[in-house]
Amino acid sequence: MSQNNVIIRFSDVSFAYDEKKVILDEANFSVRKNSIVTIMGQNGAGKSTIFKLLLGQLQPKRGKVILEHAATVGIAEQTIPADQLDLDIVSYFKLALPDKEYGIEADIHRIFGEVGLEISLDKKVRDLSGGQKARLLLASALITSPDILLLDEPTNNLDQAGIDALTAFLVMYEKTCIVISHDSDFLNCFTDGVLTLDSNTKKVEQYVGNYYDVLDDIAAKKEKDRLLNARLEKSIKDRFKKVNKLGGKSIAMSRLAKKVRQDIADDRELLVGKRPEDRTIPDFTIKNQNYIGTILKTKKPVEMELVKGSRLLIKGPNGIGKSTLLKAMLSGSAAEINSELRVGYYSQEFSELDFEQTAYDSLHSVSQTGLAPEIFEAGSRFLLNSDILKNKIGSLSEGQKGLLCYARFVLQQPGVLILDEPTNHINFRHIPVIAKAINAYEGPVILVSHLPDFVSQIENIKVLDLLAPHTRYKLEHSTL
């Protein structure tokens, strides 16, 4: 790689939040100018940490993060911070352009044209749909014209039209971009290379090529490493048997045994560290609150009763009001939910979680038994070990927050599930397991999702199609 064409360089970068939470160990990689690179890794492996190091929000413990040519960095975060939700659009963009006194409205309209966003500038950020917020995050990153654009799960909350528009934008993008995403089809459209983070070795490996080709390369390397380990382990085992026969019979034999032991030690150093793939959560069950009687009746936009086993998908383009309708159902203005029922709610921005609580306390607050072993077991099932459960929710990765919500459902045993984009932030490997659990859940489910692969796995689903705001609605059986 030409040194003059490099814009990002990580040189022996090590970083740890504390002695127990090492994220990177002597990471070395570089990114070419005007390339688009994907970061892969398990939840908590350090993808967001790399972004924070590039932004200067964190400093490496050792090594250097070098941005060549005085490059500037902008980021489209996964979510909008809670303290910015009550800002109007102009005030929101002034955070990115604090020194801009005149003409900011023109800049906003220009950048809205690039990301395909049409909203009034006096609108509050809080009042935007999930898809509109996703485009707003991208616009706020682009308005400063950064040399390096960081995108953190940019397809979350976007409908297919939004994903197609974002894909087209990135295909034509002429600057450097680094993307974190679990959407493989999306990534394969534009990726020039992949950085993989191994949470076991704390190393970063770099691959060149489109996303699917890189996945094949990674799989081939893992198989090669597995075969090498198998040969070495067999050789080590055979030589151990030889040592047992040699040892103690004579001085010469003892010396030979010592040499064999040293050879064994040397070969152990050659064993390739096992690289665990993203672990998939095991099958789990969400028990239904045992209740006889009326569960839920919708009042708007249509009147219908949901009974055990009901599955209702609320469908429509970004901005039509799907999340607003779910919140209205929760508040009682659009639905009657029996007051004795526990409601399991998954929101786009995890508004049902208290970010100041520890993950353990969050699980304890919904547990029907309050027994510590059950709480730790539920956390472990969703890859949240005892160390992670001690942390405040605000410090967890977005993927870990999503898995925490499902651990809460297991302990809560809700009478109804209301799910707003329940695959947001979730690793694609977990999605079939989650769909299976929803199918097995005996209570009614109301959901909003823009992920066809997920929706197609949900059985006996009906669709409430919000065809146009405040006009007419259509209730139909799914043909997905």
Side-chain angles (χ1 to χ4, degrees), residues 193-222:
V194 174
L195 301 172
T196 66
L197 280 64
D198 190 320
S199 59
N200 184 42
T201 65
K202 316 301 180 186
K203 303 292 186 183
V204 179
E205 293 187 353
Q206 188 163 13
Y207 296 82
V208 177
N210 70 54
Y211 188 75
Y212 286 135
D213 285 348
V214 168
L215 289 183
D216 290 341
D217 290 344
I218 293 172
K221 186 179 187 305
K222 287 181 179 179

Side-chain angles (χ1 to χ4, degrees), residues 113-179:
E114 289 188 29
V115 302
L117 185 58
E118 296 181 11
I119 52 174
S120 171
L121 298 189
D122 59 3
K123 198 165 188 175
K124 298 288 187 183
V125 173
R126 182 182 300 280
D127 296 330
L128 303 183
S129 72
Q132 289 171 330
K133 287 175 182 172
R135 293 176 191 244
L136 185 73
L137 286 163
L138 177 59
S140 68
L142 290 173
I143 201 166
T144 60
S145 299
D147 300 306
I148 302 166
L149 176 63
L150 308 179
L151 301 181
D152 196 351
E153 297 290 358
T155 61
N156 278 350
N157 303 322
L158 288 179
D159 57 16
Q160 191 57 52
I163 293 173
D164 291 345
L166 178 59
T167 302
F169 170 84
L170 289 172
V171 168
M172 301 300 294
Y173 193 61
E174 296 181 349
K175 292 186 178 182
T176 307
C177 182
I178 303 180
V179 185

Side-chain angles (χ1 to χ4, degrees), residues 218-362:
I218 293 172
K221 186 179 187 305
K222 287 181 179 179
E223 178 61 14
K224 181 180 178 181
D225 290 345
R226 186 190 68 79
L227 293 173
L228 173 61
N229 281 352
R231 287 194 297 269
L232 287 172
E233 286 169 351
K234 183 179 185 304
S235 176
I236 288 169
K237 184 177 179 181
D238 290 343
R239 281 176 287 172
F240 261 125
K241 292 179 180 178
K242 183 177 181 180
V243 167
N244 290 334
K245 293 178 179 179
L246 291 174
K249 292 184 178 179
S250 69
I251 294 176
M253 290 297 188
S254 294
R255 287 175 178 170
L256 181 56
K258 183 178 180 180
K259 183 180 184 305
V260 172
R261 288 192 186 96
Q262 184 58 52
D263 290 344
I264 290 172
D266 291 343
D267 277 357
R268 283 194 181 280
E269 293 295 320
L270 296 175
L271 285 170
V272 181
K274 292 184 179 179
R275 303 161 32 121
E277 296 183 43
D278 278 354
R279 291 169 56 198
T280 302
I281 57 175
D283 289 346
F284 65 97
T285 300
I286 303 172
K287 291 184 179 179
N288 175 54
Q289 181 181 358
N290 189 15
Y291 186 79
I292 298 175
T294 301
I295 298 176
L296 186 152
K297 290 182 178 179
T298 64
K299 297 186 289 187
K300 299 176 183 178
V302 295
E303 294 184 2
M304 60 183 299
E305 182 174 350
L306 298 184
V307 298
K308 286 187 176 182
S310 298
R311 303 288 184 266
L312 179 65
L313 171 69
I314 299 176
K315 181 181 176 183
N318 285 144
I320 201 170
K322 301 182 296 297
S323 296
T324 301
L325 178 57
L326 288 187
K327 291 174 183 176
M329 289 179 176
L330 284 166
S331 70
S333 62
E336 295 178 3
I337 301 177
N338 192 294
S339 60
E340 296 182 18
L341 286 176
R342 297 186 292 272
V343 178
Y345 179 45
Y346 189 113
S347 68
Q348 291 185 15
E349 297 170 345
F350 304 121
S351 59
E352 70 279 19
L353 301 177
D354 179 353
F355 284 17
E356 291 302 311
Q357 269 190 324
T358 66
Y360 178 91
D361 288 339
S362 180

Side-chain angles (χ1 to χ4, degrees), residues 374-393:
E374 288 187 6
I375 293 170
F376 282 116
E377 181 183 358
S380 177
R381 180 174 290 274
F382 291 92
L383 312 183
L384 306 171
N385 61 34
S386 58
D387 287 335
I388 294 173
L389 292 182
K390 294 174 186 175
N391 294 328
K392 286 187 177 182
I393 293 173

Side-chain angles (χ1 to χ4, degrees), residues 418-433:
I418 296 181
L419 309 175
D420 191 0
E421 300 290 358
T423 59
N424 268 10
H425 318 291
I426 298 295
N427 190 301
F428 68 93
R429 291 182 175 86
H430 306 325
I431 289 175
V433 180

